[in-house]
Amino acid sequence: MCTKAAQNLSSTCYLVNKKTEEVAAVKACPEWIFGNRDANGYYRVFYQDPKNPDETVAAAAEKYLTVPERIAFVEDLGPWRVQAKSR
């Protein structure tokens, strides 16, 4: 699993060898972290921000994520979450 982060802080790759994995060890505290750098992963990312779920990555998506990364991000949110936010 490779991540992409604001100002390239904590942009790195991790070995994920379990059904679920929590990646909490970061070297810095970036404004946002995207959990599927280059959109090459065959997995889903659950974004959990206690203050604004999904909002920090969503705000950065248009400016900092590539088109494939934006598509992967929307797919990670799932249709039920996107519909709920649009209402």
Side-chain angles (χ1 to χ4, degrees):
M1 172 183 165
C2 294
T3 63
K4 184 180 210 175
Q7 299 90 28
N8 280 334
L9 299 172
S10 301
S11 292
T12 190
C13 294
Y14 305 89
L15 174 63
V16 177
N17 57 7
K18 295 184 238 172
K19 185 175 181 177
T20 61
E21 190 81 31
E22 185 173 317
V23 178
V26 293
K27 298 172 189 166
C29 189
E31 184 179 328
W32 55 267
I33 296 177
F34 173 66
N36 191 359
R37 186 175 71 206
D38 302 322
N40 288 330
Y42 294 93
Y43 51 82
R44 294 283 181 230
V45 177
F46 176 73
Y47 294 94
Q48 185 175 6
D49 180 341
K51 294 179 276 184
N52 297 308
D54 313 319
E55 296 299 324
T56 52
V57 178
E62 188 172 345
K63 188 172 183 180
Y64 298 107
L65 301 184
T66 66
V67 171
E69 290 172 337
R70 287 183 228 156
I71 292 169
F73 176 66
V74 170
E75 288 174 347
D76 287 342
L77 295 179
W80 62 272
R81 291 174 77 181
V82 173
Q83 285 179 351
K85 287 189 178 272
S86 65
R87 291 182 181 177

